[in-house]
Amino acid sequence: MWLQQQWYKARLHPLLYLLTPLSLLFWLMTNLRRSFYFSGLVPRYKASVPVIVVGNISVGGTGKTPMVVALCKWLKEEGWQPGIISRGYGAKGPFPHSVSETDKPGKVGDEPLLMRHRTGCPVIIAPKRAKAAELMTEQHPEVNVIICDDGLQHYALKRDIELIMLDAERGTGNGWLLPAGPLREGPWRLKGADWVISNYGRHAFAQHVVDVEPGSWFRVDNNEKIELNVDDKFNAVAGIGFPQRFFNSLVDQGIELHDRQAFSDHHVFSEENFSQLTDKPILMTEKDAGKCQPFAQPNWYYQTIEAKLPEVMKTNLLAELERKKNAH
């Protein structure tokens, strides 16, 4: 957590200078790897249907999952049949695996299960996205567009459209690659890109701005929709890429927080994590709720979030997708 906080400060912390040689090595290795794929030295898999990659150049917390959910819902309204592929961070395998409604987060990962529940689309997970895309077309011939959750740097899978997500508040941080900074690729990756999309405000590199709004409240233990009594005091927990955003959102909604606890992204929750928070109702994200459901108390609640796609983005993206479909 300390390291991530330093990544998003204007000046490089003195201790991070010790990591800069590793960042230079990371730059060298990633550029060599990318050149191998684009020069044809390493083969790339091309799916039989258009592939849209929703990714980022930084580590976590840029709104990829809400974008995938919104994208799938909108495409279904437009008559498309999307399927989702994902790495399945924390999943146990074997891979590739088709996610079902009865799977547990510990088996398939928290985000794939969330996307399966929210969209009703088929979801297949595999660290090798090409294998997931291949199985998708085999098992689901009705799917005519594949949405790849994350995987911007997974060049083994050819893509037709790249949606590069940016957090307008945090941007590219200190501008350094991992581990001295938060970047998987340099800011150069954004220049000339056709689809750079920022959340929570406009970024200089972004062509489109997506609003992410808080949604409805549900009980963690049984997914029952409820009306939250904002006059109460609550404790809040978050194990996401940028926990402070969730806490800020609650305060912006007029919710008074007694205590708050931040965990690392994809944290595997246990009952012990909540032993000091039993005095007040607990609020959490939808992503975290799936992992807490087996031991959740009746006064634990989670909130959905909704990404709102701007109309001009929808129009342009639909036209681009039709062109890519015809090219296949």
Side-chain angles (χ1 to χ4, degrees):
M1 298 293 288
W2 177 87
L3 183 60
Q4 294 183 14
Q5 292 172 359
Q6 300 306 315
W7 283 345
Y8 291 99
K9 292 186 177 179
R11 292 186 177 182
L12 205 64
H13 190 280
L15 291 178
L16 295 189
Y17 280 103
L18 300 176
L19 300 178
T20 55
L22 294 178
S23 294
L24 295 174
L25 179 61
F26 183 84
W27 170 83
L28 176 63
M29 297 301 293
T30 53
N31 276 275
L32 280 174
R33 178 176 171 273
R34 190 171 190 267
S35 65
F36 287 160
Y37 279 112
F38 281 89
S39 67
L41 292 175
V42 179
R44 305 177 71 198
Y45 175 76
K46 180 177 176 63
S48 58
V49 299
V51 173
I52 301 176
V53 169
V54 180
N56 56 14
I57 64 168
S58 60
V59 177
T62 57
K64 295 187 301 295
T65 301
M67 170 56 74
V68 170
V69 171
L71 199 59
C72 287
K73 289 182 175 181
W74 165 65
L75 286 173
K76 288 172 74 173
E77 293 173 358
E78 295 292 334
W80 290 78
Q81 297 292 323
I84 302 169
I85 61 174
S86 176
R87 179 183 186 276
Y89 186 91
K92 305 300 183 186
F95 302 109
H97 173 76
S98 183
V99 178
S100 73
E101 293 281 355
T102 57
D103 277 330
K104 302 300 182 184
K107 177 177 173 58
V108 301
D110 46 20
E111 290 168 346
L113 197 59
L114 185 157
M115 292 184 290
R116 179 73 175 87
H117 288 159
R118 290 289 303 277
T119 68
C121 295
V123 178
I124 295 179
I125 58 172
K128 295 182 178 180
R129 308 308 198 287
K131 294 293 185 183
E134 190 174 9
L135 185 61
M136 179 67 75
T137 55
E138 290 176 2
Q139 289 191 349
H140 299 278
E142 76 282 2
V143 166
N144 55 12
V145 58
I146 292 175
I147 312 297
C148 180
D149 171 48
D150 211 348
L152 187 66
Q153 293 77 33
H154 194 83
Y155 293 114
L157 175 65
K158 288 187 176 182
R159 67 290 308 269
D160 296 275
I161 299 172
E162 292 180 337
L163 304 186
I164 305 178
M165 305 300 298
L166 271 178
D167 176 351
E169 293 180 13
R170 298 190 295 168
T172 56
N174 59 21
W176 278 83
L177 297 182
L178 292 165
L183 301 183
R184 299 167 172 172
E185 294 181 281
W188 62 266
R189 188 71 164 81
L190 305 176
K191 297 178 181 179
D194 294 327
W195 297 93
V196 180
I197 301 163
S198 62
N199 289 309
Y200 308 103
R202 177 168 292 280
H203 189 275
F205 287 121
Q207 292 94 7
H208 301 283
V209 178
V210 169
D211 293 326
V212 181
E213 302 174 355
S216 301
W217 287 98
F218 298 83
R219 294 186 190 278
V220 176
D221 60 350
N222 62 7
N223 295 313
E224 176 190 357
K225 188 175 181 179
I226 59 105
E227 289 291 334
L228 194 72
N229 184 1
V230 296
D231 293 330
D232 292 341
K233 287 186 178 181
F234 298 89
N235 293 322
V237 301
I240 57 177
F242 186 24
Q244 189 59 44
R245 171 162 293 128
F246 177 61
F247 303 144
N248 292 344
S249 172
L250 297 177
V251 173
D252 291 342
Q253 295 174 64
I255 297 172
E256 185 175 353
L257 298 181
H258 177 262
D259 195 6
R260 62 192 78 184
Q261 288 193 14
F263 297 86
S264 59
D265 197 12
H266 302 288
H267 179 75
V268 180
F269 286 94
S270 65
E271 291 184 75
E272 288 73 23
N273 294 139
F274 300 89
S275 60
Q276 304 300 316
L277 300 173
T278 57
D279 58 329
K280 298 285 188 301
I282 294 176
L283 307 180
M284 65 182 66
T285 69
E286 182 182 13
K287 175 177 168 179
D288 294 329
K291 292 174 288 189
C292 298
Q293 198 166 46
F295 50 84
Q297 300 301 309
N299 63 342
W300 294 11
Y301 311 106
Y302 70 86
Q303 187 175 39
T304 61
I305 55 175
E306 307 291 341
K308 304 296 184 182
L309 308 184
E311 291 302 319
V312 65
M313 176 184 166
K314 291 181 181 179
T315 301
N316 295 343
L317 186 56
L318 197 60
E320 180 72 6
L321 189 54
E322 289 286 357
R323 286 194 293 268
K324 298 298 183 181
K325 179 183 177 182
N326 294 333
H328 275 260

